[in-house]
Amino acid sequence: MNHPLDQLARHCQSDAHSESTLPPAALAALRLIRAEKLLTRLPQDLIGELVGWAAFALLMGNLLWSQRNIYALLSHIYAVVMLALTVREWVAARDLDLAAPVTLVQQRLEALSLLRIFRLKFAILGGIILWAPLAFVLFEALSGRPLAINNLWLIANLVFGVLIAVATVWLLRLYPQANRIARALSGESIAEAERALAQLHTFQSE
Amino acid sequence: MLLEQHSRILHRVCRLYARTPADSEDLAQDITLALWRAFPSYDPARKFSTWMYRIALNVAISHLRRHKPALPLSATTEPTILPSSQIEELYRLVAQLDPLDRSLVLLYLEGYSFPEIGDILGISATNASTKLTRIKQSWKESA
């Protein structure tokens, strides 16, 4: 028992009753909770997004039914995939139990983080590529007549969208410090989450 | 109230995972909120301190990932048996460990048995014991 850590352990345990009051910050948080100001905030953060994507998918489904063209189909697929990804993230967030063992919770948090990054990337990169078909579908829905589309222009636009997406990712890889979105698009957040998962795996192994 | 009775856990976790007094306040609030929200699912048949440690450590490790390290908190406010300079140095060494190893050391400092540490962290008792031995060994080597 001569190791410094054992000395510190004896110190901590002998000092067990020296900290009998909560820190002021914790007491402040408790008062806020008692006033029920914060109870409703966190649990359903994703509900708004879920409702939004569900409404968008329904709208695109209706437009697909009435327009029956490839642009409406692409737009509907985009909306449905976004809805599915949001549902998946919401379920993962809802099922998270912070009272579960630490390594398990941390693994689930990292998995949740990966889901969030994937959804963000899909929303942005998919949006860049599919904005033209979406615009056609919405134009026809609002004006009641299809837009005269030059196929060559559409293909050029899709290619342009892909190039913009690739260029965005490439530029953000050079400057990934910008913000959360930049870090997600550049792959930095994914690499960070994967590193954390690898650390957890190592910690769990004997 | 249970939380007030076990406030020492909050102090210890904040001390080892927060790097500045302001950060410590944020972390204390985050942990308190998480405890309050999770309380309806608390099973009274289980030990409250174990349940509280799991939540506090989960919040603290996630908090540490969101807030990049600054300077470690001083340990000088703690009543002492060891010389305060030595305690400060020991806390500094603990604060340098990665978040998971730090949680293991924290639970050890609190006097938890290896099966209890394993239960809180989600690893086997043998694994917890082996890791602590390695940490002690690495301290000796670096001393």
Side-chain angles (χ1 to χ4, degrees):
Chain A
M1 290 286 279
N2 289 327
H3 193 279
L5 207 52
D6 296 319
Q7 286 180 300
L8 187 60
R10 280 200 303 277
H11 166 77
C12 287
Q13 286 156 39
S14 67
D15 194 29
H17 302 290
S18 66
E19 296 160 319
S20 55
T21 55
L22 284 173
L27 284 172
L30 276 178
R31 277 196 291 275
L32 282 172
I33 296 164
R34 281 172 185 150
E36 296 190 350
K37 285 179 183 169
L38 296 168
L39 266 181
T40 52
R41 199 188 63 188
L42 185 74
Q44 313 301 349
D45 276 355
L46 281 167
I47 288 281
E49 285 187 58
L50 204 60
V51 171
W53 286 114
F56 188 57
L58 267 177
L59 173 70
M60 287 300 142
N62 276 336
L63 295 180
L64 174 62
W65 182 254
S66 60
Q67 297 181 13
R68 292 171 192 266
N69 60 36
I70 184 71
Y71 315 116
L73 179 65
L74 285 173
S75 304
H76 189 228
I77 289 172
Y78 176 68
V80 169
V81 172
M82 278 309 301
L83 176 62
L85 291 174
T86 312
V87 168
R88 200 171 154 205
E89 193 181 317
W90 177 71
V91 170
R94 191 202 57 182
D95 291 347
L96 196 66
D97 175 14
L98 284 177
V102 173
T103 48
L104 182 69
V105 173
Q106 294 303 315
Q107 275 172 337
R108 287 186 178 163
L109 281 171
E110 294 306 333
L112 186 60
S113 166
L114 285 172
L115 278 179
R116 188 165 296 160
I117 295 163
F118 182 73
R119 188 167 69 93
L120 185 66
K121 282 180 92 163
F122 186 84
I124 292 174
L125 300 181
I128 290 174
I129 294 166
L130 290 175
W131 79 269
L134 267 167
F136 294 150
V137 173
L138 291 174
F139 178 84
E140 187 172 335
L142 292 172
S143 69
R145 59 190 172 82
L147 195 68
I149 298 165
N150 179 329
N151 281 338
L152 188 64
W153 182 88
L154 182 66
I155 291 167
N157 202 296
L158 280 174
V159 172
F160 180 71
V162 172
L163 288 177
I164 288 286
V166 171
T168 307
V169 171
W170 179 73
L171 278 173
L172 290 173
R173 275 187 204 281
L174 292 179
Y175 307 101
Q177 309 84 348
N179 55 37
R180 189 174 71 89
I181 293 173
R183 292 174 69 243
L185 289 178
S186 69
E188 197 195 332
S189 301
I190 292 179
E192 198 176 304
E194 283 172 348
R195 269 198 304 276
L197 279 172
Q199 270 181 346
L200 281 162
H201 184 72
T202 309
F203 186 79
Q204 281 178 309
S205 58
E206 294 282 337
Chain B
M1 181 186 177
L2 277 170
L3 182 55
E4 279 160 356
Q5 285 165 17
H6 292 82
S7 63
R8 192 166 55 93
I9 294 175
L10 201 56
H11 280 274
R12 300 280 195 215
V13 172
C14 288
R15 163 163 293 167
L16 283 184
Y17 284 88
R19 303 305 182 98
T20 63
D23 191 34
S24 178
E25 285 195 8
D26 285 350
L27 180 56
Q29 288 205 22
D30 283 355
I31 293 173
T32 312
L33 282 170
L35 289 166
W36 187 270
R37 290 197 179 102
F39 192 74
S41 63
Y42 167 62
D43 174 8
R46 301 201 65 178
K47 223 169 137 183
F48 182 81
S49 59
T50 302
W51 177 82
M52 185 167 166
Y53 253 120
R54 278 182 171 177
I55 292 179
L57 287 171
N58 273 316
V59 174
I61 292 170
S62 304
H63 178 91
L64 203 62
R65 283 208 60 201
R66 288 200 308 273
H67 303 84
K68 297 296 176 194
L71 293 169
L73 270 182
S74 163
T76 49
T77 53
E78 179 144 329
T80 57
I81 293 172
L82 292 169
S84 63
S85 60
Q86 197 179 341
I87 293 168
E88 189 152 4
E89 174 61 14
L90 289 170
Y91 270 116
R92 196 185 59 77
L93 287 171
V94 176
Q96 283 174 351
L97 296 169
D98 78 54
L100 291 165
D101 284 343
R102 209 180 307 172
S103 60
L104 193 152
V105 170
L106 172 64
L107 295 168
Y108 174 72
L109 293 179
E110 289 292 288
Y112 279 85
S113 66
F114 287 118
E116 284 173 320
I117 294 174
D119 183 42
I120 292 171
L121 297 182
I123 57 176
S124 68
T126 320
N127 194 2
S129 164
T130 308
K131 282 186 189 309
L132 191 78
T133 308
R134 281 190 199 139
I135 291 168
K136 284 181 177 179
Q137 191 64 38
S138 69
W139 277 27
K140 265 187 187 170
E141 284 165 9
S142 64

